Amino acid sequence: MAGIKDVAKAAGVSVATVSRVMNNRGYISKETRRKVEKAMESIDYHPNQIARALQKNQSYFIGIIVPDSNHPFFSDLIKYVEMSANERNYKLLVCNSLDDPDKEAKYISMLRQNQVDGIIMCSHTMDIESYRKVPFPIVSFDRFISSTIPCVGSDNYRGGELATEHLIGLGCKRLLHISGPLELDILSNRRRDAFVITSMKHGVAYDIIEGAHNKLTFNYFWTFIHENLTPERLQEYDGIFCSNDLVAYALYLYAQQHGIDVPSQLKIIGYDYHSFTRMLQNPKLTTIMQPSDRIGVMLTNTLIQMIENADGELINNTTVDVTLVKGDTT
Amino acid sequence: MAGIKDVAKAAGVSVATVSRVMNNRGYISKETRRKVEKAMESIDYHPNQIARALQKNQSYFIGIIVPDSNHPFFSDLIKYVEMSANERNYKLLVCNSLDDPDKEAKYISMLRQNQVDGIIMCSHTMDIESYRKVPFPIVSFDRFISSTIPCVGSDNYRGGELATEHLIGLGCKRLLHISGPLELDILSNRRRDAFVITSMKHGVAYDIIEGAHNKLTFNYFWTFIHENLTPERLQEYDGIFCSNDLVAYALYLYAQQHGIDVPSQLKIIGYDYHSFTRMLQNPKLTTIMQPSDRIGVMLTNTLIQMIENADGELINNTTVDVTLVKGDTT
């Protein structure tokens, strides 16, 4: 059977270089890595990474737990996490919690049993203690869990402020915010805080309707709007800030059905911006873009930093900038 | 440290039952599995599945290689594959080939080194020989590779027929088909075959524009339409069958911009149907739905069948039914 010496010979590099590539250690130029990989392929050398993982106590597996991998925001995020992980030779295990605490716990246990090096947590249904007792690195998306679990998220407060100022700047006098569920201490609630404070600062009247726990389907939001709004009540408002694009789009369709013109009578702004669904929107939503590419790369890099500096100091939280994307609904 | 006996005791079942749950063998009721899992959790018992994998020569990892996990069709598919794999205790590694043959080959090698039990291949950029030499089970989506690699796909021929008959039934006299790339022998080409034969059968004039290799973004299709069509040429047709919903939607927007009314002057029908983007379509496309849930479950079940009956006979290809979903564009 072919061995590491044969790889070195075929690639025209030293055994030490092959070892560095295989162990993912030290600086290796892209070109050298490529040469070594080609050589491994050409002599049909496939080292058993599972055996190596056991020996070295590092698997190069990372897990990501999301509420729904098919939701456009998480589907964006997973792609960028996978691609940036792959660049550093980590493999991604994808888990759908469907926002079920039992499923979430079972996935964490499964990932632990499979010796993942770390987890990116994007589903937040369990209490904080359950995450704290996990004995390997975790990075959290949009929720503060503890000082040992770094958090990466968009600047939710700034997003809420931008959205509210945009509506007020366009002359809106009576605002509504459809928030996410507020009972959990997650960072997206800051969108609501910024909405309240910005409205107060400008002396503009406002209401809030609280969404239920992350039901991430359009149909859910469509029903939600029918249950929580009437056309009469909708006409009381001239500007609505929605905590995500799905509810914003459902609201736009509801207004249209009831003869309320958007944007002349009612202005609507969302939150998220999905690269794929954006193209299909007609009209295009005005929205706050939280950049899933930058968030995805940051989640991966933060986790790998924790994995590779296991004895290092605490790692800071990261806040990624948001921007207002003007569309046709304001 | 806690052991298997402690789990049995905490769960109130026999050691043999715990072993069956852990080894994923034999019939175990959902309730019993749940009890054992709870017990493992409660006594903090996390068996090292990587060590077991090495011992048993089975990892319970499966890989899925897609062109782009963020494309709505593949994002649908990945969710259903992950959920059905998880039900049978398999874990899913997601890989984005971005339709690059080098990346595809590298992922196959990576999955092989990580001892996956099998691969679901949805990206088709390499030649057939490269897949044939992979020494573990592969299931292919929408491409015949060899008699030892089962293929799961929607009934592409029937889909093309349904779409073409729908347009002709509505009185269209001059048809256009925007196909996928035809140089590869992939099953989606049968949509084009059915389009040609159905048009001929009804004596209706037709043209075909061939798409380039799977560039799965809306922006690509938007540019593609501008490069391959003019408003004048578009007016020559009264019915267009597009090989996917993104190109159909781009075409709809292009027609609208050039004052061609859909559906009175021009009828457009797509192919795919994405559960999420459907909600955002305004107007909604008429399209052929290939059910990603049934295809996803079938891909998983076929692969697991191959893994668990390694010495069994050849497994048949599977064709999943398609249906016409009437929208506003025909």
Side-chain angles (χ1 to χ4, degrees):
Chain A
M1 211 180 92
I4 184 166
K5 280 185 194 161
D6 306 290
V7 178
K9 200 170 153 200
V13 300
S14 70
V15 168
T17 302
V18 175
S19 166
R20 283 219 307 288
V21 170
M22 284 171 49
N23 291 305
N24 218 12
R25 293 274 174 234
Y27 174 76
I28 306 278
S29 74
K30 273 203 172 169
E31 200 194 338
T32 305
R33 175 178 294 283
R34 192 88 206 86
K35 244 194 311 196
V36 172
E37 284 166 356
K38 279 242 173 216
M40 284 166 66
E41 198 55 41
S42 72
I43 64 170
D44 215 24
Y45 177 64
H46 303 277
N48 183 333
Q49 296 295 355
I50 294 273
R52 299 171 69 84
L54 205 61
Q55 217 174 32
K56 295 172 52 192
N57 214 8
Q58 182 172 9
S59 65
Y60 292 98
F61 284 124
I62 63 183
I64 184 166
I65 305 182
V66 293
D68 184 342
S69 67
N70 190 26
H71 180 279
F73 179 76
F74 291 110
S75 141
D76 259 11
L77 198 66
I78 287 170
K79 178 181 173 183
Y80 294 110
V81 167
E82 194 279 318
M83 286 174 60
S84 54
N86 181 251
E87 264 177 30
R88 299 180 66 178
N89 270 0
Y90 283 79
K91 288 93 38 176
L92 189 67
L93 287 158
V94 173
C95 310
N96 284 292
S97 75
L98 305 182
D99 271 324
D100 171 348
D102 274 357
K103 268 179 103 61
E104 200 177 303
K106 208 183 140 189
Y107 272 120
I108 291 178
S109 166
M110 178 281 275
L111 292 170
R112 187 170 169 179
Q113 291 177 35
N114 283 284
Q115 316 293 314
V116 296
D117 294 336
I119 299 183
I120 296 173
M121 250 351 271
C122 306
S123 171
H124 304 298
T125 58
M126 307 197 313
D127 58 73
I128 282 181
E129 264 326 299
S130 316
Y131 301 108
R132 277 196 186 138
K133 68 179 195 202
V134 176
F136 50 77
I138 298 187
V139 172
S140 160
F141 169 63
D142 250 6
R143 183 181 185 190
F144 285 139
I145 296 176
S146 82
S147 60
T148 55
I149 298 182
C151 170
V152 174
S154 73
D155 193 342
N156 287 282
Y157 190 91
R158 180 67 188 137
E161 192 176 51
L162 276 174
T164 315
E165 280 175 351
H166 177 68
L167 293 175
I168 294 172
L170 291 170
C172 295
K173 298 274 181 251
R174 189 153 170 88
L175 299 180
L176 174 67
H177 176 48
I178 302 181
S179 75
L182 299 170
E183 87 273 21
L184 267 181
D185 184 22
I186 49 178
L187 292 177
S188 53
N189 294 349
R190 300 219 173 139
R191 300 173 196 169
R192 177 243 180 221
D193 300 340
F195 170 78
V196 170
I197 288 169
T198 309
S199 299
M200 288 172 67
K201 207 163 74 183
H202 289 84
V204 172
Y206 66 88
D207 277 336
I208 292 172
I209 296 178
E210 184 180 342
H213 195 56
N214 294 337
K215 304 273 183 219
L216 292 171
T217 68
F218 182 90
N219 285 341
Y220 164 74
F221 290 117
W222 187 238
T223 310
F224 178 81
I225 283 171
H226 281 79
E227 283 170 356
N228 287 275
L229 277 170
T230 56
E232 296 69 38
R233 179 158 177 208
L234 196 57
Q235 276 167 330
E236 292 172 19
Y237 304 104
D238 52 9
I240 305 189
F241 167 36
C242 298
S243 60
N244 69 60
D245 283 351
L246 291 178
V247 70
Y249 210 82
L251 187 71
Y252 162 77
L253 293 176
Y254 182 84
Q256 198 195 28
Q257 277 187 3
H258 292 92
I260 299 169
D261 187 67
V262 177
S264 72
Q265 289 170 272
L266 177 66
K267 294 174 182 30
I268 299 175
I269 180 166
Y271 201 103
D272 276 350
Y273 187 97
H274 319 128
S275 59
F276 254 104
T277 67
R278 183 71 183 169
M279 320 302 180
L280 299 170
Q281 290 169 12
N282 177 31
K284 302 226 179 293
L285 284 172
T286 297
T287 192
I288 303 295
M289 179 173 82
Q290 50 173 344
S292 49
D293 52 348
R294 287 172 57 197
I295 295 173
V297 170
M298 201 61 214
L299 284 165
T300 312
N301 288 350
T302 305
L303 187 65
I304 293 179
Q305 195 186 344
M306 289 172 79
I307 293 167
E308 299 190 350
N309 301 293
D311 50 351
E313 55 257 54
L314 293 181
I315 288 172
N316 294 327
N317 300 318
T318 306
T319 305
V320 177
D321 269 356
V322 294
T323 41
L324 177 96
V325 181
K326 177 76 178 69
D328 311 315
T329 58
T330 61
Chain B
M1 212 181 89
I4 183 166
K5 281 187 194 159
D6 306 289
V7 178
K9 199 170 155 200
V13 300
S14 69
V15 168
T17 301
V18 176
S19 165
R20 282 219 309 286
V21 171
M22 285 170 49
N23 291 306
N24 219 12
R25 292 272 175 236
Y27 173 76
I28 306 278
S29 73
K30 273 204 172 170
E31 202 193 337
T32 305
R33 176 178 293 282
R34 192 86 209 88
K35 246 194 313 196
V36 171
E37 283 166 356
K38 279 243 173 214
M40 284 166 65
E41 198 55 41
S42 71
I43 64 170
D44 215 23
Y45 176 65
H46 302 279
N48 184 332
Q49 297 295 355
I50 294 274
R52 299 171 69 82
L54 206 61
Q55 220 173 30
K56 295 172 50 191
N57 216 9
Q58 181 171 10
S59 66
Y60 291 98
F61 284 123
I62 62 183
I64 185 166
I65 306 182
V66 293
D68 184 342
S69 66
N70 190 26
H71 180 279
F73 178 76
F74 290 110
S75 143
D76 260 10
L77 198 67
I78 287 170
K79 178 180 173 185
Y80 294 110
V81 168
E82 194 279 317
M83 286 173 59
S84 53
N86 182 250
E87 266 178 29
R88 301 182 64 179
N89 270 1
Y90 283 79
K91 288 92 42 174
L92 189 67
L93 287 158
V94 173
C95 310
N96 284 293
S97 75
L98 306 182
D99 272 323
D100 170 348
D102 274 357
K103 269 179 103 60
E104 202 178 302
K106 209 182 140 190
Y107 272 119
I108 291 178
S109 167
M110 179 279 275
L111 292 170
R112 185 168 171 181
Q113 291 177 35
N114 283 283
Q115 316 294 313
V116 296
D117 294 337
I119 299 184
I120 296 173
M121 245 359 268
C122 306
S123 171
H124 304 298
T125 58
M126 306 198 314
D127 57 72
I128 281 181
E129 263 326 300
S130 316
Y131 301 107
R132 279 196 185 139
K133 67 179 194 202
V134 176
F136 49 78
I138 299 186
V139 173
S140 159
F141 169 64
D142 250 4
R143 184 182 184 191
F144 286 138
I145 295 176
S146 81
S147 61
T148 55
I149 299 181
C151 170
V152 174
S154 73
D155 193 341
N156 287 283
Y157 190 90
R158 178 70 187 136
E161 192 177 50
L162 275 174
T164 315
E165 280 175 351
H166 177 69
L167 294 175
I168 294 172
L170 291 169
C172 295
K173 300 272 179 252
R174 191 156 167 85
L175 299 180
L176 174 68
H177 175 50
I178 302 181
S179 75
L182 299 170
E183 87 272 20
L184 267 181
D185 184 23
I186 49 179
L187 292 178
S188 53
N189 294 350
R190 301 221 173 139
R191 301 173 196 169
R192 176 240 179 226
D193 300 340
F195 169 78
V196 170
I197 288 169
T198 310
S199 300
M200 286 172 66
K201 205 164 73 182
H202 289 84
V204 172
Y206 66 88
D207 276 336
I208 292 173
I209 296 178
E210 184 179 341
H213 195 55
N214 293 337
K215 304 274 183 221
L216 291 172
T217 70
F218 182 89
N219 285 342
Y220 164 73
F221 289 118
W222 187 238
T223 310
F224 178 81
I225 283 172
H226 281 80
E227 284 171 356
N228 287 276
L229 277 170
T230 57
E232 295 69 40
R233 178 155 179 212
L234 196 55
Q235 276 166 330
E236 291 174 18
Y237 304 105
D238 51 9
I240 304 188
F241 167 36
C242 298
S243 59
N244 69 60
D245 283 351
L246 291 178
V247 71
Y249 210 83
L251 187 70
Y252 162 77
L253 293 176
Y254 183 83
Q256 197 195 28
Q257 277 187 4
H258 292 92
I260 298 168
D261 188 66
V262 177
S264 72
Q265 288 172 269
L266 177 67
K267 295 175 180 32
I268 299 175
I269 180 165
Y271 201 104
D272 275 352
Y273 186 98
H274 319 126
S275 59
F276 255 103
T277 67
R278 183 70 183 170
M279 320 302 178
L280 299 170
Q281 290 170 11
N282 177 31
K284 304 226 179 292
L285 284 172
T286 297
T287 191
I288 303 295
M289 178 171 82
Q290 51 173 344
S292 50
D293 51 350
R294 287 172 56 196
I295 295 173
V297 170
M298 201 59 215
L299 284 165
T300 312
N301 288 350
T302 305
L303 187 64
I304 293 179
Q305 195 187 343
M306 290 172 78
I307 294 167
E308 300 190 348
N309 301 294
D311 49 352
E313 55 259 55
L314 292 181
I315 290 172
N316 294 329
N317 300 318
T318 306
T319 305
V320 177
D321 268 356
V322 296
T323 41
L324 178 95
V325 180
K326 176 77 176 70
D328 311 316
T329 57
T330 60

